[in-house]
């Protein structure tokens, strides 16, 4: 099934695209997809999403079809889902 992943802010810059389509198996979890996204983009994106481990960086926000979700809450993706990865923007 196809899942759209949208990138914003710093994550968009690291990925080099604003959105991308991923083909995943039925039953794929949000966590599995994010790890696949990080691996695909390698050294530019992986350190932002997973700097020290398999745990998502605590400042990254995740939305699935406009609803914010937490990394530690299991979520099985469905074909209509759009996943948005957002890094908070700061500045003065």
């Amino acid at each position: 099934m196809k899942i759209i992943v949208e990138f914003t802010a710093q994550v968009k810059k690291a990925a080099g695209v604003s959105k991308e389509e991923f083909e995943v198996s039925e039953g794929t979890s949000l966590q599995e997809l994010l790890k696949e996204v990080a691996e695909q983009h390698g050294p530019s994106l992986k350190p932002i999403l997973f700097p020290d481990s398999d745990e998502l960086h605590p400042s990254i926000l995740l939305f699935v079809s406009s609803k914010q979700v937490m990394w530690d809450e299991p979520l099985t993706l469905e074909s209509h889902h759009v996943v948005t990865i957002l890094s908070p923007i700061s500045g003065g």
Side-chain angles (χ1 to χ4, degrees):
M1 70 182 171
K2 294 180 186 206
I3 302 290
I4 301 291
V5 177
E6 298 178 333
F7 304 98
T8 62
Q10 180 184 7
V11 177
K12 176 181 171 182
K13 184 176 180 182
V17 294
S18 61
K19 79 170 128 174
E20 195 168 14
E21 189 173 87
F22 285 83
E23 185 71 37
V24 298
S25 302
E26 192 82 23
T28 297
S29 71
L30 173 64
Q31 293 77 8
E32 291 168 329
L33 174 65
L34 271 261
K35 289 176 184 178
E36 180 181 330
V37 169
E39 287 299 323
Q40 181 170 322
H41 288 279
S44 61
L45 186 57
K46 191 171 182 179
I48 294 170
L49 297 180
F50 301 101
D52 299 318
S53 67
D54 283 343
E55 289 299 313
L56 188 68
H57 191 284
S59 71
I60 299 294
L61 302 176
L62 300 173
F63 293 83
V64 175
S65 299
S66 301
K67 181 182 175 198
Q68 187 173 3
V69 295
M70 305 307 290
W71 171 253
D72 56 356
E73 294 176 12
L75 175 71
T76 300
L77 296 170
E78 298 176 16
S79 61
H80 65 278
H81 282 155
V82 175
V83 176
T84 304
I85 306 169
L86 176 101
S87 60
I89 300 169
S90 64

